[in-house]
Amino acid sequence: MPTPPKTTLGLWSGRSTFFWAAAAATIGLGNLWHFPWLASQFGGGYFVLLYLLFLLVITLPLLLAEAALGRRHRHNLVLAMRSETRDRYQSPRWRWLGRVSVLSGFLVLSITLVIGSICLAYVFYGAFGRFGDATPLSMTGMLAELVESPYDYRGFMAWHAFFILLVGAVAFRQELVERAFRLVMPVFLALLLGLVWWSWEQGVGPGALESVAGLRWQDVNGGTVWFALSHAFYTLGIGLGIWAVLGALMAPGSPFKRAVFGVALLDTLVGVLAGVVIYGIAESFDGYGDVRGFGLVFVALPVGLGGLEYHQLLATAVFTLIVLVAWSSALVLAESVVSWLREWVIAPRPVSVLLVLVCAWLMGLVTLYSFNIWADVQVAGLTPFRWIELLTSGLLIPAVAAALAVFLGWLAPVGYLNTLLGNTQEWLVRVWRFALRYLLPVTVIVVGAGYSMMSLKLLCDNGELIWCTPSAHELSGEPPAGDGERRRGPGKAAEF
């Protein structure tokens, strides 16, 4: 038998665990509340095909690079970069690539825990019949009461703490984390397929599938290319240090390249099937095709569920599905940060998990309070949550991805890249190196800059930035369409 590789993090016992953990890392809330809307608005099946193309050409080369480094050195990305720079005589400044990735992963974890708590609350809201006879106004008020009320925010804090406890209960033991990935993701897929079957039985599935995946060339435009590219970049968790840890924990003999390719296909399929379920249920919501994000999941979806027979059972199933996505995403993000802390301070796993979750809870309170009691606390026109979201997604994540592409594309010889991938055909290694060298750095920088500009434009359009150029409605003295009493709360620009 081959000698197991030496690692301070341990190894997973099952060869299939890498695939299921990778699925947890890639299937996020964006697959449920953002991907279906993008596909329905920008060409349907053409958007889906273009999105899959960008996954294979842009995102997978970066994913392979990060995971391969973790697998080779059996460390988190910080220590993997330390080993890389030492073994190949490169500047130690490249180690900052790993440090920034840990910071990005921690910030995204803190936000994911907050959003997961809202999803968890809606499981109980649905189970106890609060969606019965729901209207857009009542569901908007319910979301505002939970998230934005400056008087009842302690209830939001309680859900937040509850969700963190659910993550911590498994994260404290690595064998439980492995079992969770191997159990929860198949359960999630089975539940999703069951809801798709129900949608078909109710006769709403075909129409919803047509909205998401129907070939509509007349809807294809520049936005189709841009949104397919940006969503493909952000959806797989690149730049967060996740993939290095998953590679480090990978059991010997795990199908590395096949698993990564399979996860990309699964991510796309889940986005389409989620659109079938959500749009099939939300069809009774007037204008459901025009809403996304929080509006789609926490307003349009409950309105659609409230008018159905057995709506309590269906609401519980649907929001349990959403909670499983948020919970598994939080678990894999926590694993990345915990692995770094364990190796940095040589701390026992329970201590590392406790420290990470307590710090994530405190940072999460910054996001949570930004929706209610700190909604008027702004720096340069942005709330603390907006700054965290903008700096992480617009700057830190693209910076890590671009730096990693440059580091391997320009400073690593072809033979070494072949060793990283595991004795792959030379022409594929050269294609990978070409993408890392010439295609990915510029593309990633453009995506990050575009994300920042679009986020700021959205905030300007919503009237949330005081330093924007006055818009037409402000110059005319008229309120923006549909503004009424402008609500504070989670913005549509956030994508995790």
Side-chain angles (χ1 to χ4, degrees), residues 35-36 38 77 89 125 145 183 218 225 270 279 305 308 336 364 383 468:
F35 180 89
L38 289 173
L77 192 56
Y89 305 102
Y125 288 176
E145 180 184 3
L183 174 64
Q218 67 275 13
V225 178
V270 167
Y279 278 176
L305 287 166
L308 298 174
S336 172
T383 64
C468 295

Side-chain angles (χ1 to χ4, degrees), residues 293-489:
F294 274 50
L296 177 60
V297 172
F298 299 124
V299 178
L301 189 57
V303 169
L305 287 166
L308 298 174
E309 190 177 5
Y310 306 113
H311 65 84
Q312 289 174 257
L313 178 62
L314 283 171
T316 303
V318 170
F319 279 97
T320 296
L321 182 85
I322 297 172
V323 166
L324 288 177
V325 171
W327 182 83
S328 58
S329 296
L331 192 61
V332 75
L333 284 164
E335 188 67 22
S336 172
V337 184
V338 167
S339 297
W340 162 76
L341 187 60
R342 286 177 60 196
E343 294 196 290
W344 181 47
V345 300
I346 317 298
R349 182 180 180 90
V351 175
S352 299
V353 171
L354 181 62
L355 287 174
V356 167
L357 291 183
V358 167
C359 291
W361 170 68
L362 292 172
M363 181 58 69
L365 291 180
V366 176
T367 294
L368 189 151
Y369 290 156
S370 296
F371 296 152
N372 38 72
I373 60 175
W374 288 356
D376 296 325
V377 177
Q378 298 184 350
V379 178
L382 294 176
T383 64
F385 161 70
R386 289 296 189 186
W387 275 115
I388 294 171
E389 180 264 325
L390 186 62
L391 290 175
T392 303
S393 299
L395 178 62
L396 299 182
I397 293 175
V400 171
L404 182 61
V406 171
F407 180 76
L408 287 181
W410 288 96
L411 302 180
V414 173
Y416 181 72
L417 293 179
N418 192 18
T419 302
L420 275 182
L421 281 185
N423 298 320
T424 306
Q425 295 184 29
E426 185 175 345
W427 71 270
L428 283 176
V429 177
R430 291 190 177 277
V431 169
W432 184 42
R433 187 192 193 197
F434 177 86
L436 291 172
R437 271 194 170 190
Y438 302 107
L439 182 61
L440 299 182
V442 174
T443 303
V444 168
I445 291 173
V446 169
V447 168
Y451 179 92
S452 300
M453 293 174 61
M454 293 193 67
S455 297
L456 292 174
K457 182 180 183 301
L458 178 61
L459 295 175
C460 284
D461 292 343
N462 289 343
E464 297 184 39
L465 287 181
I466 59 175
W467 40 272
C468 295
T469 303
S471 58
H473 66 78
E474 291 173 319
L475 294 174
S476 66
E478 299 178 356
D483 191 33
E485 182 180 351
R486 184 171 61 84
R487 286 172 25 81
R488 301 174 303 196

Side-chain angles (χ1 to χ4, degrees), residues 31 99 109 113 119-120 157 181 183 197 218 244-245 248 259 271 273 293 300 308 335 369-370 402 433 439 468 472 490:
N31 292 83
R99 295 165 184 162
L109 170 64
L113 292 171
C119 302
L120 181 62
M157 291 177 62
F181 288 142
L183 174 64
W197 173 82
Q218 67 275 13
V245 171
L273 296 181
L308 298 174
E335 188 67 22
Y369 290 156
S370 296
R433 187 192 193 197
L439 182 61
C468 295

